[in-house]
Coordinates of all heavy atoms in Angstrom, one line a residue:
M1 N 66.5 138.5 130.6 CA 66.2 138.7 129.3 C 65.4 137.5 128.7 O 65.7 136.4 128.9 CB 67.5 138.9 128.5 CG 67.2 139.1 127.0 SD 68.8 139.5 126.2 CE 68.3 139.5 124.6
T2 N 64.3 137.8 128.0 CA 63.5 136.7 127.5 C 63.7 136.6 125.9 O 64.0 137.7 125.3 CB 62.0 136.9 127.7 OG1 61.6 138.1 127.1 CG2 61.7 137.0 129.2
E3 N 63.5 135.4 125.4 CA 63.7 135.2 124.0 C 62.6 134.2 123.6 O 62.3 133.2 124.3 CB 65.1 134.7 123.7 CG 65.3 134.4 122.2 CD 66.6 133.6 121.9 OE1 67.2 133.0 122.8 OE2 66.9 133.6 120.7
L4 N 62.0 134.5 122.4 CA 61.0 133.6 121.8 C 61.5 133.2 120.5 O 61.7 134.2 119.6 CB 59.6 134.3 121.7 CG 58.5 133.4 121.2 CD1 58.1 132.3 122.2 CD2 57.3 134.2 120.8
R5 N 61.7 132.0 120.2 CA 62.2 131.5 118.9 C 61.1 130.6 118.2 O 60.6 129.8 118.8 CB 63.5 130.7 119.0 CG 64.7 131.5 119.4 CD 66.0 130.8 119.4 NE 65.9 129.6 120.3 CZ 66.3 128.4 120.0 NH1 66.8 128.1 118.8 NH2 66.2 127.4 120.9
N6 N 60.9 130.9 116.9 CA 60.0 130.1 116.1 C 60.7 129.1 115.4 O 61.5 129.3 114.5 CB 59.2 131.0 115.2 CG 58.1 130.3 114.4 OD1 57.9 129.1 114.6 ND2 57.4 131.0 113.6
L7 N 60.5 127.8 115.7 CA 61.1 126.7 115.1 C 60.1 126.2 114.0 O 59.3 125.3 114.3 CB 61.5 125.5 116.0 CG 62.4 125.9 117.2 CD1 62.7 124.8 118.0 CD2 63.7 126.6 116.7
V8 N 60.1 126.8 112.9 CA 59.1 126.6 111.8 C 59.0 125.2 111.4 O 57.9 124.6 111.3 CB 59.4 127.5 110.6 CG1 58.4 127.3 109.5 CG2 59.3 129.0 111.0
A9 N 60.1 124.5 111.2 CA 60.1 123.1 110.8 C 59.4 122.1 111.8 O 58.9 121.1 111.4 CB 61.5 122.6 110.5
E10 N 59.5 122.5 113.1 CA 58.9 121.8 114.2 C 57.5 122.2 114.6 O 56.9 121.7 115.5 CB 59.8 121.7 115.4 CG 61.1 120.9 115.2 CD 62.2 121.8 114.6 OE1 62.0 123.0 114.4 OE2 63.3 121.2 114.3
N11 N 57.1 123.3 114.0 CA 55.8 124.0 114.4 C 55.8 124.2 115.9 O 54.8 123.9 116.6 CB 54.6 123.1 114.0 CG 54.4 123.1 112.5 OD1 54.7 124.0 111.8 ND2 53.9 121.9 112.1
Q12 N 56.8 124.9 116.4 CA 56.9 125.1 117.8 C 57.7 126.4 118.1 O 58.6 126.7 117.4 CB 57.7 123.9 118.4 CG 57.8 123.9 119.9 CD 58.4 122.6 120.3 OE1 59.7 122.4 120.3 NE2 57.6 121.7 120.8
Y13 N 57.2 127.1 119.1 CA 57.9 128.3 119.6 C 58.6 127.9 120.9 O 58.0 127.1 121.7 CB 57.0 129.4 120.0 CG 56.5 130.2 118.7 CD1 55.3 129.8 118.1 CD2 57.1 131.4 118.3 CE1 54.9 130.6 117.0 CE2 56.7 132.1 117.3 CZ 55.5 131.7 116.6 OH 55.0 132.5 115.6
L14 N 59.9 128.3 121.1 CA 60.6 128.0 122.3 C 60.8 129.3 123.1 O 61.1 130.3 122.4 CB 62.0 127.4 122.1 CG 62.0 126.0 121.4 CD1 63.4 125.5 121.2 CD2 61.2 125.0 122.2
F15 N 60.5 129.3 124.4 CA 60.6 130.5 125.2 C 61.8 130.3 126.2 O 61.8 129.3 126.9 CB 59.3 130.7 126.0 CG 59.2 131.9 126.8 CD1 59.3 133.1 126.2 CD2 59.0 131.8 128.2 CE1 59.2 134.3 127.0 CE2 58.9 132.9 128.9 CZ 59.0 134.2 128.4
S16 N 62.7 131.2 126.2 CA 63.9 131.2 127.1 C 63.9 132.4 128.0 O 63.5 133.6 127.5 CB 65.1 131.1 126.3 OG 65.2 129.9 125.5
V17 N 64.4 132.3 129.2 CA 64.6 133.4 130.1 C 66.1 133.2 130.6 O 66.4 132.2 131.1 CB 63.6 133.3 131.3 CG1 63.9 134.4 132.3 CG2 62.2 133.5 130.8
G18 N 66.8 134.3 130.5 CA 68.2 134.2 130.9 C 69.0 133.1 130.3 O 69.9 132.6 130.9
G19 N 68.7 132.8 129.0 CA 69.5 131.7 128.3 C 69.0 130.3 128.6 O 69.4 129.4 128.0
E20 N 68.0 130.2 129.6 CA 67.5 128.8 129.9 C 66.1 128.7 129.2 O 65.2 129.5 129.3 CB 67.3 128.7 131.4 CG 66.7 127.4 131.8 CD 66.3 127.3 133.3 OE1 66.6 128.3 134.0 OE2 65.7 126.3 133.7
E21 N 66.0 127.6 128.5 CA 64.7 127.2 127.8 C 63.7 126.8 128.9 O 64.0 125.9 129.7 CB 64.9 126.1 126.9 CG 63.7 125.8 126.0 CD 63.9 124.6 125.1 OE1 64.8 124.7 124.3 OE2 63.2 123.6 125.2
V22 N 62.6 127.6 129.0 CA 61.6 127.3 130.1 C 60.3 127.0 129.6 O 59.4 126.7 130.4 CB 61.6 128.5 131.1 CG1 62.9 128.8 131.8 CG2 61.1 129.8 130.4
G23 N 60.0 127.1 128.3 CA 58.7 126.8 127.9 C 58.6 126.6 126.4 O 59.5 126.9 125.6
L24 N 57.4 126.1 125.9 CA 57.2 125.9 124.5 C 55.7 126.1 124.2 O 54.9 125.9 125.1 CB 57.7 124.5 124.1 CG 57.1 123.3 124.7 CD1 55.8 122.9 124.0 CD2 58.1 122.1 124.7
A25 N 55.5 126.3 123.0 CA 54.1 126.4 122.4 C 54.1 125.7 121.1 O 54.9 126.0 120.2 CB 53.7 127.8 122.2
D26 N 53.3 124.7 121.0 CA 53.1 124.0 119.7 C 52.0 124.6 118.9 O 51.0 125.1 119.5 CB 52.7 122.5 120.0 CG 53.8 121.7 120.6 OD1 55.0 122.0 120.3 OD2 53.5 120.9 121.5
Y27 N 52.1 124.6 117.6 CA 51.1 125.2 116.7 C 51.0 124.5 115.4 O 51.8 123.7 115.0 CB 51.3 126.7 116.5 CG 52.6 126.9 115.7 CD1 52.5 127.0 114.3 CD2 53.8 127.1 116.3 CE1 53.7 127.3 113.5 CE2 55.0 127.4 115.5 CZ 54.9 127.4 114.1 OH 56.0 127.7 113.4
R28 N 49.9 124.7 114.7 CA 49.6 124.2 113.4 C 49.1 125.4 112.5 O 48.2 126.2 113.0 CB 48.6 123.1 113.3 CG 49.0 121.8 113.9 CD 47.9 120.8 113.8 NE 46.7 121.3 114.5 CZ 45.4 121.1 114.1 NH1 45.2 120.5 113.0 NH2 44.5 121.6 114.8
V29 N 49.6 125.6 111.4 CA 49.1 126.6 110.5 C 48.2 125.9 109.4 O 48.6 124.9 108.8 CB 50.3 127.3 109.7 CG1 49.7 128.3 108.7 CG2 51.1 128.1 110.7
I30 N 47.0 126.4 109.4 CA 46.0 125.8 108.4 C 45.4 127.0 107.7 O 44.7 127.8 108.3 CB 44.8 125.1 109.2 CG1 45.4 124.0 110.0 CG2 43.8 124.6 108.2 CD1 44.4 123.2 111.0
G31 N 45.8 127.1 106.5 CA 45.4 128.3 105.6 C 45.9 129.6 106.3 O 47.1 129.7 106.5
D32 N 45.0 130.5 106.6 CA 45.4 131.8 107.2 C 45.2 131.8 108.7 O 45.2 132.8 109.3 CB 44.5 132.9 106.5 CG 44.8 133.1 105.1 OD1 46.0 132.9 104.7 OD2 43.9 133.5 104.3
E33 N 45.1 130.6 109.3 CA 45.0 130.5 110.7 C 46.2 129.8 111.3 O 46.8 128.9 110.8 CB 43.7 129.7 111.1 CG 42.4 130.3 110.5 CD 41.3 129.4 110.8 OE1 41.4 128.1 111.0 OE2 40.1 129.9 110.7
I34 N 46.5 130.3 112.6 CA 47.5 129.6 113.3 C 46.8 129.0 114.6 O 46.1 129.8 115.4 CB 48.7 130.5 113.7 CG1 49.7 129.7 114.5 CG2 48.2 131.7 114.5 CD1 51.1 130.4 114.6
H35 N 46.8 127.7 114.7 CA 46.1 127.0 115.8 C 47.2 126.8 116.9 O 48.1 126.0 116.6 CB 45.6 125.7 115.4 CG 44.4 125.9 114.4 ND1 43.1 125.5 114.8 CD2 44.2 126.3 113.2 CE1 42.3 125.8 113.8 NE2 43.0 126.3 112.8
I36 N 47.0 127.4 118.0 CA 48.0 127.1 119.2 C 47.4 126.0 119.9 O 46.3 126.1 120.5 CB 48.1 128.4 120.0 CG1 48.6 129.6 119.2 CG2 49.1 128.1 121.2 CD1 48.5 130.9 119.9
T37 N 48.1 124.8 119.8 CA 47.5 123.5 120.2 C 48.0 123.1 121.6 O 47.3 122.4 122.3 CB 47.9 122.4 119.3 OG1 49.3 122.3 119.1 CG2 47.3 122.7 117.9
H38 N 49.1 123.7 122.1 CA 49.6 123.2 123.4 C 50.7 124.2 123.9 O 51.5 124.7 123.1 CB 50.3 121.9 123.2 CG 51.0 121.3 124.4 ND1 50.3 120.8 125.5 CD2 52.3 121.2 124.7 CE1 51.2 120.5 126.5 NE2 52.4 120.7 126.0
T39 N 50.7 124.5 125.1 CA 51.7 125.3 125.8 C 52.2 124.5 127.0 O 51.4 123.8 127.7 CB 51.2 126.7 126.2 OG1 50.1 126.6 127.0 CG2 50.9 127.6 124.9
E40 N 53.5 124.8 127.3 CA 54.0 124.1 128.5 C 55.2 124.9 129.1 O 56.0 125.5 128.3 CB 54.6 122.8 128.0 CG 55.1 121.8 129.1 CD 55.5 120.5 128.5 OE1 54.7 120.0 127.7 OE2 56.5 120.0 128.9
I41 N 55.2 125.0 130.4 CA 56.3 125.6 131.2 C 57.0 124.5 131.9 O 56.3 123.6 132.4 CB 55.7 126.7 132.1 CG1 55.2 127.9 131.3 CG2 56.8 127.2 133.1 CD1 56.2 128.7 130.5
T42 N 58.3 124.6 132.1 CA 59.1 123.7 132.9 C 58.4 123.5 134.2 O 58.1 124.5 134.9 CB 60.5 124.2 133.1 OG1 61.1 124.3 131.8 CG2 61.4 123.3 133.9
P43 N 58.2 122.2 134.6 CA 57.4 122.0 135.8 C 57.8 122.7 137.1 O 57.0 123.3 137.8 CB 57.5 120.5 136.0 CG 57.7 119.9 134.7 CD 58.5 121.0 133.9
R44 N 59.1 122.9 137.3 CA 59.6 123.6 138.5 C 59.3 125.0 138.5 O 59.3 125.7 139.6 CB 61.1 123.3 138.8 CG 62.0 123.9 137.8 CD 63.5 123.6 138.1 NE 64.3 124.1 137.0 CZ 64.6 125.3 136.8 NH1 64.2 126.3 137.6 NH2 65.4 125.6 135.8
L45 N 58.9 125.6 137.3 CA 58.7 127.0 137.3 C 57.2 127.4 137.1 O 56.9 128.6 136.9 CB 59.5 127.6 136.1 CG 61.0 127.5 136.2 CD1 61.7 127.9 134.9 CD2 61.5 128.3 137.4
R46 N 56.4 126.4 137.1 CA 54.9 126.6 136.9 C 54.4 127.4 138.1 O 54.8 127.3 139.2 CB 54.2 125.3 136.8 CG 54.5 124.6 135.5 CD 53.7 123.4 135.3 NE 54.2 122.7 134.0 CZ 54.1 121.4 133.8 NH1 53.6 120.6 134.7 NH2 54.6 120.9 132.7
G47 N 53.4 128.3 137.8 CA 52.9 129.1 138.8 C 53.6 130.4 139.1 O 53.2 131.2 139.9
S48 N 54.7 130.6 138.3 CA 55.5 131.8 138.5 C 55.1 133.0 137.6 O 55.8 134.0 137.6 CB 57.0 131.5 138.3 OG 57.2 131.1 136.9
G49 N 54.2 132.8 136.7 CA 53.8 133.8 135.8 C 54.5 133.7 134.4 O 54.2 134.5 133.5
L50 N 55.4 132.7 134.3 CA 56.1 132.6 133.0 C 55.2 132.2 131.9 O 55.4 132.5 130.7 CB 57.3 131.5 133.1 CG 58.5 132.0 133.9 CD1 59.5 130.9 134.0 CD2 59.1 133.2 133.1
G51 N 54.1 131.4 132.2 CA 53.2 131.0 131.1 C 52.6 132.2 130.5 O 52.5 132.3 129.2
A52 N 52.1 133.1 131.3 CA 51.5 134.3 130.8 C 52.5 135.1 130.0 O 52.2 135.7 128.9 CB 50.8 135.1 131.9
R53 N 53.7 135.2 130.5 CA 54.8 136.0 129.8 C 55.0 135.4 128.4 O 55.2 136.1 127.4 CB 56.0 136.0 130.6 CG 56.0 137.0 131.8 CD 57.2 137.0 132.6 NE 58.4 137.3 131.9 CZ 59.6 137.1 132.4 NH1 59.8 136.7 133.6 NH2 60.7 137.4 131.7
M54 N 55.1 134.0 128.4 CA 55.3 133.4 127.1 C 54.2 133.6 126.1 O 54.4 133.9 125.0 CB 55.5 131.8 127.4 CG 55.7 131.1 126.1 SD 56.0 129.3 126.3 CE 54.3 128.8 126.8
V55 N 52.9 133.4 126.6 CA 51.8 133.6 125.7 C 51.7 135.0 125.2 O 51.4 135.3 124.0 CB 50.5 133.2 126.4 CG1 49.3 133.5 125.6 CG2 50.5 131.6 126.6
R56 N 52.0 136.0 126.0 CA 52.1 137.4 125.6 C 53.1 137.6 124.5 O 52.8 138.2 123.5 CB 52.3 138.3 126.8 CG 52.2 139.8 126.5 CD 52.4 140.7 127.8 NE 51.4 140.4 128.8 CZ 50.1 140.8 128.8 NH1 49.7 141.6 127.8 NH2 49.3 140.5 129.8
A57 N 54.3 137.1 124.7 CA 55.4 137.2 123.7 C 54.9 136.5 122.4 O 55.2 137.0 121.3 CB 56.7 136.6 124.2
L58 N 54.3 135.3 122.6 CA 53.8 134.6 121.4 C 52.8 135.4 120.6 O 52.9 135.5 119.4 CB 53.2 133.2 121.8 CG 52.5 132.4 120.8 CD1 53.5 132.0 119.7 CD2 51.9 131.2 121.5
L59 N 51.8 135.9 121.3 CA 50.8 136.7 120.6 C 51.3 138.0 120.0 O 51.0 138.4 118.9 CB 49.6 137.0 121.6 CG 48.8 135.7 122.0 CD1 47.8 136.1 123.1 CD2 48.2 134.9 120.9
D60 N 52.3 138.6 120.7 CA 52.9 139.8 120.2 C 53.6 139.5 118.9 O 53.6 140.3 117.9 CB 53.8 140.5 121.2 CG 53.1 141.1 122.3 OD1 51.9 141.4 122.2 OD2 53.8 141.4 123.3
S61 N 54.3 138.4 118.9 CA 55.1 137.9 117.7 C 54.1 137.6 116.5 O 54.4 138.1 115.4 CB 55.9 136.7 118.0 OG 56.6 136.2 116.9
I62 N 53.1 136.9 116.8 CA 52.1 136.6 115.7 C 51.5 138.0 115.2 O 51.4 138.1 114.0 CB 51.0 135.7 116.3 CG1 51.6 134.3 116.5 CG2 49.8 135.6 115.3 CD1 50.7 133.4 117.3
R63 N 51.2 138.8 116.1 CA 50.6 140.1 115.7 C 51.6 140.9 114.8 O 51.1 141.5 113.8 CB 50.3 141.0 116.9 CG 49.7 142.4 116.6 CD 49.6 143.2 117.8 NE 48.4 142.9 118.5 CZ 48.1 143.0 119.7 NH1 49.0 143.5 120.5 NH2 46.9 142.8 120.2
S64 N 52.8 141.0 115.1 CA 53.7 141.8 114.4 C 54.4 141.1 113.2 O 54.7 141.8 112.2 CB 54.9 142.3 115.3 OG 55.7 141.3 115.7
D65 N 54.5 139.8 113.2 CA 55.1 139.1 112.1 C 54.3 138.4 111.1 O 54.8 137.9 110.1 CB 56.1 138.1 112.7 CG 57.2 138.7 113.6 OD1 57.4 139.9 113.5 OD2 57.8 138.0 114.4
T66 N 53.0 138.3 111.4 CA 52.1 137.5 110.5 C 50.7 138.2 110.3 O 50.4 139.2 111.0 CB 51.8 136.1 111.0 OG1 50.8 136.2 112.1 CG2 53.1 135.4 111.5
D67 N 49.9 137.7 109.5 CA 48.5 138.1 109.3 C 47.6 137.0 109.8 O 46.4 137.1 109.5 CB 48.2 138.4 107.8 CG 49.0 139.7 107.3 OD1 49.2 140.6 108.2 OD2 49.4 139.7 106.2
Y68 N 48.1 136.0 110.4 CA 47.3 134.8 110.8 C 46.2 135.2 111.8 O 46.4 136.1 112.7 CB 48.2 133.8 111.5 CG 49.1 133.1 110.6 CD1 50.4 132.8 111.0 CD2 48.8 132.6 109.4 CE1 51.3 132.2 110.3 CE2 49.6 132.0 108.5 CZ 51.0 131.7 109.0 OH 51.8 131.0 108.2
R69 N 45.1 134.6 111.7 CA 44.1 134.6 112.8 C 44.4 133.6 113.8 O 44.7 132.4 113.4 CB 42.7 134.3 112.1 CG 41.6 134.3 113.2 CD 40.2 134.0 112.6 NE 40.0 134.9 111.4 CZ 39.2 134.5 110.4 NH1 38.8 133.3 110.3 NH2 39.0 135.4 109.4
V70 N 44.4 133.9 115.1 CA 44.7 133.0 116.1 C 43.5 132.2 116.5 O 42.5 132.7 116.8 CB 45.3 133.8 117.3 CG1 45.4 132.9 118.6 CG2 46.6 134.5 117.0
I71 N 43.7 130.9 116.5 CA 42.7 129.9 117.0 C 43.4 129.2 118.3 O 44.4 128.6 118.2 CB 42.4 128.9 116.0 CG1 42.0 129.5 114.6 CG2 41.3 127.9 116.5 CD1 40.7 130.3 114.7
A72 N 42.8 129.5 119.4 CA 43.3 129.0 120.7 C 42.7 127.6 121.0 O 41.7 127.5 121.6 CB 43.0 130.0 121.8
D73 N 43.4 126.6 120.5 CA 43.0 125.2 120.8 C 43.5 124.8 122.2 O 43.0 123.8 122.8 CB 43.5 124.3 119.8 CG 42.9 124.4 118.4 OD1 41.8 124.9 118.3 OD2 43.6 124.1 117.4
C74 N 44.4 125.5 122.8 CA 45.0 125.3 124.1 C 44.2 126.0 125.1 O 43.9 127.3 124.9 CB 46.5 125.8 124.1 SG 47.2 125.8 125.7
G75 N 43.7 125.4 126.2 CA 42.9 126.0 127.2 C 43.6 127.2 127.9 O 43.0 128.1 128.2
F76 N 44.9 127.0 128.1 CA 45.7 128.1 128.8 C 45.6 129.4 127.9 O 45.4 130.5 128.4 CB 47.1 127.7 129.0 CG 47.9 128.7 129.9 CD1 47.8 128.7 131.2 CD2 48.7 129.7 129.2 CE1 48.5 129.6 132.0 CE2 49.4 130.6 130.0 CZ 49.3 130.6 131.4
V77 N 45.8 129.2 126.6 CA 45.8 130.4 125.7 C 44.4 131.0 125.6 O 44.2 132.2 125.6 CB 46.4 130.0 124.3 CG1 46.2 131.2 123.4 CG2 47.8 129.5 124.4
R78 N 43.4 130.1 125.6 CA 42.0 130.5 125.6 C 41.7 131.4 126.8 O 41.1 132.5 126.7 CB 41.1 129.3 125.5 CG 40.0 129.4 124.5 CD 39.1 128.2 124.4 NE 39.4 127.1 125.2 CZ 39.9 125.9 124.7 NH1 40.4 125.9 123.5 NH2 40.1 125.0 125.5
D79 N 42.1 130.9 128.0 CA 41.9 131.7 129.2 C 42.7 133.0 129.2 O 42.2 134.0 129.6 CB 42.3 130.9 130.4 CG 41.4 129.7 130.7 OD1 40.3 129.7 130.2 OD2 41.8 128.8 131.4
F80 N 43.9 133.0 128.7 CA 44.7 134.2 128.6 C 44.0 135.2 127.7 O 43.9 136.4 128.1 CB 46.1 133.9 128.0 CG 47.0 135.1 127.9 CD1 47.8 135.5 128.9 CD2 46.9 135.9 126.7 CE1 48.6 136.7 128.8 CE2 47.7 137.0 126.6 CZ 48.6 137.4 127.6
L81 N 43.5 134.8 126.6 CA 42.8 135.7 125.7 C 41.5 136.3 126.3 O 41.2 137.5 126.2 CB 42.4 135.0 124.4 CG 43.6 134.7 123.4 CD1 43.3 133.7 122.3 CD2 44.1 136.1 122.9
R82 N 40.8 135.5 127.1 CA 39.6 136.0 127.8 C 40.0 137.1 128.8 O 39.3 138.1 129.0 CB 38.9 134.9 128.5 CG 37.7 134.4 127.8 CD 37.0 133.4 128.6 NE 37.5 132.2 128.0 CZ 37.5 130.9 128.3 NH1 37.0 130.6 129.4 NH2 37.9 130.0 127.6
R83 N 41.2 136.9 129.5 CA 41.6 137.9 130.5 C 42.3 139.1 129.9 O 42.6 140.1 130.7 CB 42.5 137.2 131.5 CG 41.8 136.2 132.4 CD 42.7 135.7 133.5 NE 44.0 135.3 133.1 CZ 44.4 134.1 132.6 NH1 43.5 133.1 132.5 NH2 45.6 133.9 132.3
N84 N 42.7 139.0 128.7 CA 43.5 140.1 128.0 C 42.8 140.5 126.7 O 43.3 140.2 125.6 CB 44.9 139.6 127.8 CG 45.6 139.3 129.1 OD1 46.2 140.2 129.7 ND2 45.5 138.1 129.6
P85 N 41.8 141.4 126.9 CA 41.0 141.8 125.6 C 41.8 142.6 124.6 O 41.4 142.7 123.5 CB 39.9 142.6 126.2 CG 40.3 143.0 127.6 CD 41.3 141.9 128.1
E86 N 43.0 143.0 125.0 CA 43.8 143.8 124.0 C 44.4 142.9 122.9 O 44.9 143.4 121.9 CB 45.0 144.5 124.7 CG 46.1 143.6 125.4 CD 45.8 143.2 126.8 OE1 44.6 143.2 127.2 OE2 46.8 142.8 127.5
Y87 N 44.1 141.6 123.0 CA 44.5 140.6 122.0 C 43.3 140.1 121.2 O 43.5 139.3 120.4 CB 45.3 139.5 122.6 CG 46.6 139.9 123.1 CD1 46.9 140.1 124.4 CD2 47.8 140.1 122.2 CE1 48.1 140.5 124.9 CE2 49.0 140.5 122.7 CZ 49.2 140.7 124.0 OH 50.4 141.1 124.5
A88 N 42.1 140.6 121.5 CA 40.9 140.0 120.9 C 40.9 140.1 119.4 O 40.4 139.2 118.7 CB 39.7 140.8 121.4
E89 N 41.5 141.1 118.8 CA 41.5 141.3 117.3 C 42.3 140.2 116.6 O 42.0 139.9 115.5 CB 42.0 142.7 116.9 CG 43.5 142.8 116.6 CD 44.4 142.8 117.9 OE1 43.9 143.0 119.0 OE2 45.7 142.7 117.6
L90 N 43.2 139.5 117.4 CA 43.9 138.4 116.7 C 43.0 137.2 116.4 O 43.2 136.5 115.5 CB 45.0 137.9 117.6 CG 46.2 138.9 117.8 CD1 47.2 138.4 118.8 CD2 46.9 139.2 116.5
Q91 N 41.9 137.1 117.1 CA 40.9 136.1 116.9 C 39.9 136.4 115.8 O 39.2 135.5 115.4 CB 40.2 135.7 118.2 CG 41.2 135.2 119.3 CD 40.4 134.9 120.6 OE1 40.1 135.8 121.3 NE2 40.1 133.6 120.8
T92 N 39.8 137.6 115.4 CA 38.8 138.1 114.5 C 39.5 138.7 113.2 O 38.7 139.3 112.5 CB 37.9 139.1 115.1 OG1 38.6 140.2 115.6 CG2 37.1 138.4 116.3
R93 N 40.7 138.5 113.1 CA 41.4 139.1 111.9 C 40.8 138.6 110.7 O 40.4 137.4 110.5 CB 42.9 138.7 111.9 CG 43.8 139.5 112.8 CD 45.2 138.9 112.6 NE 46.2 139.9 113.0 CZ 47.5 139.6 113.0 NH1 48.0 138.5 112.5 NH2 48.3 140.6 113.5
R94 N 40.6 139.5 109.7 CA 40.1 139.1 108.4 C 41.3 138.7 107.6 O 42.2 139.5 107.5 CB 39.3 140.3 107.8 CG 38.2 140.7 108.7 CD 36.9 141.0 108.0 NE 36.6 140.6 106.6 CZ 35.7 139.6 106.3 NH1 35.1 139.0 107.3 NH2 35.5 139.4 105.1
T95 N 41.2 137.6 107.1 CA 42.3 137.1 106.3 C 41.9 137.1 104.8 O 40.8 137.3 104.4 CB 42.7 135.6 106.7 OG1 41.5 134.8 106.5 CG2 43.1 135.5 108.2
S96 N 42.9 136.8 104.0 CA 42.7 136.9 102.5 C 41.6 135.9 102.0 O 41.0 136.1 101.0 CB 44.0 136.7 101.8 OG 44.6 135.4 102.1
S97 N 41.4 134.8 102.8 CA 40.4 133.8 102.3 C 39.0 134.1 103.0 O 38.2 133.3 102.8 CB 40.9 132.4 102.6 OG 41.1 132.2 104.0
S98 N 38.9 135.1 103.9 CA 37.7 135.4 104.5 C 36.7 136.2 103.6 O 37.1 137.0 102.9 CB 37.9 136.2 105.8 OG 38.7 135.4 106.7

């Protein structure tokens, strides 16, 4: 079972699998944009696909819970978005200040 928790005060999402914290994503909210600045998976689990699972959960959460436009400052997230066009609209969302 996977879980994604948003620690708003820390500007960080924590990703857990089976009760074990295995990853994190740092972000900054600037106006109507959420800048994903860094993602990380526990070193011993890198290469197992958990990074993609975490980013997918993160983007799904942003899509369903916010109106933010996603700005991928993290290279891993940028690459994920290129490979997964079903998330493209998150980068072009029209916000209230647009």
